[in-house]
Amino acid sequence: MDNEQLVKDLTAKDEQKALAAAGEIVNNTNIEAFKLLVNKSEFLFDFVKNNVCKRLNKVITPNNYRNLFGFFKTYCPDFEDVIVGSLAKYANEDMTDEILELLEHGTDDEKAYAAKYFSYIPDTIAAEELIKYAFCDNEALAFNAAKALGAMSTEAAYQKAIELLNSDDDFTVLKAVKFLVAYEDKNAVEHILKAMEHSSMSENIAGEIPYLQSLMELLTTYKNKADVLLCIDNILSGLGEILPLNQIFCFELYEVLGFLVDYNIKNKDSQAAVVLLKALSKFEMLSENEEYTFDEDKNTKQEITEIYNLLKNQQEYFWNAQKNLVKNELTLPKSDIHRISSALRIISEYKLTQAQQEAKDLLNGNNEIILCEALITLKQLNLLEGIDKTEIINKVQDENKKALIQSLF
C-alpha cells in the first residue's frame, strides 16, 4: 500500500482500516508515511488528529516501541505526546542516556522530542543541556526544554527567565515570557504582567498569560484587578491581528466579558468600562465584516457571534453608563500611559464629548505621547478651537511628534 493511502486510511472513519494503517506505519518505521501525515496535520480537524493519536497508541507495544525513535527526525507538536509518552512508558536508564545523547547532538527536531521526553521523565541529568535550549530561537525546542525544566523545578532556569523580563530587547522579554508559561509556575504571573506594561509587544505578552493562569481565575483571585484588566485590554487590541481569532476559546472571552458586565453593573469601574466598550467595538467589527473571519472554522465564527450578542444585548442604559465612566481614566497619574491611551481611543471611537474637559486637562502635562493622543482625540471631536498650538509644540522635543501636532491644526 502506498503512503498516501496509508495516511488516508489512518485519518478516515473506518476504525479497522485505520488501526491496520497505524500498525503498518509503526511496525515498519515508515518514516515517509509519517512525514506525509505531519505535512497534512495542519489541514486536519482536531478530532481527526485525536483519533490518529488514539490509533497510534493502540498499536504501540513492548515489541515495537523502539521504532518510534525513527520518527524523531520529523517533529510535529500534534503527535509528540503519543511518540514521547509511549517511549516514557518503557523508560529505563539506558533509554534516558540514549535520549540525552539526542538532546546533546541530534538535529533540532530530535532535540525537541528529546526535551519533551524529560518533561515526562524529569531526570536532572539533562538540566544543564535543557537550560542551553530554553531561550533559543527554535520555539518547539525552547518550549519543551522549559516544560522539562519546570517538571524538574529547576530554580536557576526560572530565575534566569525572571531576570530576562527586564531586558531592553522586547524579543528577549517575549522568550522569557514563553519560558515562564511553559515552566508552569503561577508565581510568575505578577512578573509577566509588569513586563507587559512596559513592553512594545504588550499584545503578544498578554496573549501568553492565559496559558499560565486563566483570565477568569485572575479576575477573581489576583490582588491587582487593574493589571488583569490591562491584560484583557491588550488581548482585545491584538485579537485578529497579532493573536489568532480561534484563541478566544483559550482566553474564555465569552465568560470573561460576561463576568465584566456583571462586575461593572455593581462596581462602575472606569477601566472595566473601557475594556467592555473596546470589546463591543471589536466584536461588532468581527461579526459584521466577513473578511476578518473568512478563514475561521464554524465554531470560531459562532463563538464570535455569541460574544457580540452577549454585549450588544445589554440595555442602552448600561452602555451609556460605561461611556460616562471612561473620562475618569483620563484623571489617572500620567505614568498610567497605557490606560490613558486606551481610554482616549475609546473616546475618539464613540465620540464621547462628555470627556472633553478631562481630555483638554491632559494638555497641561509634559508627556509627549499623551499630548499627541489627547490632541488627536480632541481633533476627532472637533474640539481643538481655542487651544494654543505653539505652547504645546514648545513642550515637545521629538520632531516627528511636532510635525504631527502641526498637522492637526
Side-chain angles (χ1 to χ4, degrees):
M1 188 184 298
D2 67 39
N3 292 331
E4 277 281 356
Q5 189 61 47
L6 269 178
V7 172
K8 187 175 179 181
D9 287 351
L10 178 60
T11 56
K13 289 182 180 178
D14 189 322
E15 192 66 18
Q16 192 172 349
K17 279 187 177 179
L19 284 171
E24 195 166 331
I25 290 169
V26 173
N27 289 327
N28 297 324
T29 320
N30 190 331
I31 295 170
E32 292 308 312
F34 183 70
K35 282 182 183 175
L36 190 59
L37 173 65
V38 168
N39 289 337
K40 291 178 181 290
S41 66
E42 67 175 299
F43 306 108
L44 299 175
F45 290 115
D46 285 343
F47 78 89
V48 174
K49 287 187 271 197
N50 289 337
N51 284 339
V52 168
C53 289
K54 287 175 187 173
R55 291 157 179 172
L56 290 170
N57 257 323
K58 284 180 181 177
V59 301
I60 295 166
T61 69
N63 297 321
N64 66 13
Y65 73 89
R66 286 198 57 82
N67 293 356
L68 298 173
F69 279 103
F71 304 131
F72 271 42
K73 292 190 182 299
T74 307
Y75 177 77
C76 182
D78 294 322
F79 308 116
E80 66 176 355
D81 280 303
V82 69
I83 292 171
V84 177
S86 297
L87 285 172
K89 288 179 192 172
Y90 303 102
N92 55 38
E93 194 172 327
D94 287 342
M95 183 189 289
T96 297
D97 288 344
E98 190 175 349
I99 291 180
L100 179 60
E101 179 70 18
L102 285 173
L103 184 65
E104 292 173 341
H105 304 296
T107 65
D108 278 358
D109 282 8
E110 289 171 327
K111 287 175 181 179
Y113 280 118
K116 183 73 174 184
Y117 172 86
F118 287 105
S119 68
Y120 279 89
I121 309 295
D123 191 327
T124 55
I125 192 173
E128 187 177 339
E129 204 67 25
L130 290 165
I131 290 172
K132 277 176 25 183
Y133 301 130
F135 304 97
C136 71
D137 291 332
N138 183 311
E139 286 200 18
L141 175 54
F143 182 88
N144 286 350
K147 199 165 185 65
L149 289 163
M152 297 172 192
S153 299
T154 309
E155 185 67 18
Y158 176 83
Q159 290 302 329
K160 180 180 178 181
I162 295 293
E163 288 167 16
L164 288 175
L165 290 177
N166 297 315
S167 170
D168 293 330
D169 180 74
D170 280 317
F171 289 99
T172 299
V173 173
L174 188 57
K175 281 184 185 178
V177 169
K178 289 183 175 182
F179 172 93
L180 292 165
V181 170
Y183 191 90
E184 294 184 347
D185 185 337
K186 290 180 180 179
N187 291 319
V189 167
E190 181 177 2
H191 302 283
I192 296 172
L193 285 168
K194 281 192 175 66
M196 175 194 72
E197 191 175 346
H198 302 294
S199 174
S200 64
M201 299 177 75
S202 53
E203 294 95 343
N204 305 71
I205 294 172
E208 296 290 330
I209 291 170
Y211 293 98
L212 180 55
Q213 189 167 9
S214 78
L215 294 175
M216 283 302 297
E217 189 179 344
L218 287 168
L219 278 171
T220 52
T221 64
Y222 191 69
K223 60 187 178 182
N224 190 342
K225 194 172 258 81
D227 288 349
V228 183
L229 289 170
L230 183 59
C231 177
I232 299 167
D233 190 312
N234 283 320
I235 284 172
L236 290 169
S237 294
L239 199 63
E241 296 168 23
I242 294 168
L243 306 172
L245 287 178
N246 59 17
Q247 285 189 287
I248 54 176
F249 297 105
C250 303
F251 299 150
E252 301 175 312
L253 280 183
Y254 184 92
E255 292 78 9
V256 165
L257 294 169
F259 174 90
L260 288 180
V261 167
D262 293 338
Y263 168 80
N264 236 30
I265 289 171
K266 300 169 191 168
N267 293 279
K268 297 178 174 53
D269 181 320
S270 57
Q271 187 183 12
V274 169
V275 169
L276 285 166
L277 287 162
K278 178 179 276 193
L280 177 64
S281 171
K282 171 72 76 166
F283 282 95
E284 180 180 20
M285 179 186 72
L286 294 174
S287 295
E288 297 184 354
N289 294 281
E290 200 172 290
E291 63 265 30
Y292 292 105
T293 58
F294 182 77
D295 292 326
E296 300 299 329
D297 63 30
K298 182 177 73 174
N299 291 336
T300 302
K301 290 178 181 178
Q302 184 177 338
E303 186 76 355
I304 287 168
T305 300
E306 289 184 7
I307 292 171
Y308 179 46
N309 288 337
L310 166 74
L311 296 170
K312 78 172 182 179
N313 289 338
Q314 299 306 313
Q315 297 291 329
E316 186 178 352
Y317 74 82
F318 172 82
W319 288 116
N320 287 337
Q322 305 316 301
K323 291 172 183 176
N324 286 328
L325 285 168
V326 172
K327 63 186 179 183
N328 297 338
E329 289 291 282
L330 305 189
T331 63
L332 292 166
K334 302 302 180 287
S335 56
D336 281 318
I337 187 167
H338 292 287
R339 287 177 59 178
I340 293 171
S341 295
S342 193
L344 285 168
R345 285 191 286 273
I346 291 298
I347 291 163
S348 292
E349 183 170 358
Y350 287 91
K351 300 291 189 287
L352 302 183
T353 55
Q354 62 264 51
Q356 60 179 292
Q357 189 55 55
E358 288 78 5
K360 287 178 177 176
D361 289 344
L362 292 174
L363 303 179
N364 297 326
N366 294 303
N367 184 297
E368 296 187 7
I369 295 173
I370 292 177
L371 285 172
C372 288
E373 293 192 356
L375 285 171
I376 291 168
T377 298
L378 290 166
K379 170 77 171 178
Q380 300 220 340
L381 297 177
N382 294 316
L383 293 169
L384 282 180
E385 189 177 342
I387 292 171
D388 189 334
K389 174 182 69 173
T390 306
E391 183 183 336
I392 295 170
I393 288 177
N394 288 339
K395 295 182 183 183
V396 175
Q397 303 301 315
D398 185 279
E399 292 301 324
N400 290 327
K401 290 187 176 67
K402 283 186 177 185
L404 171 62
I405 294 167
Q406 189 76 40
S407 71
L408 291 171
F409 287 89

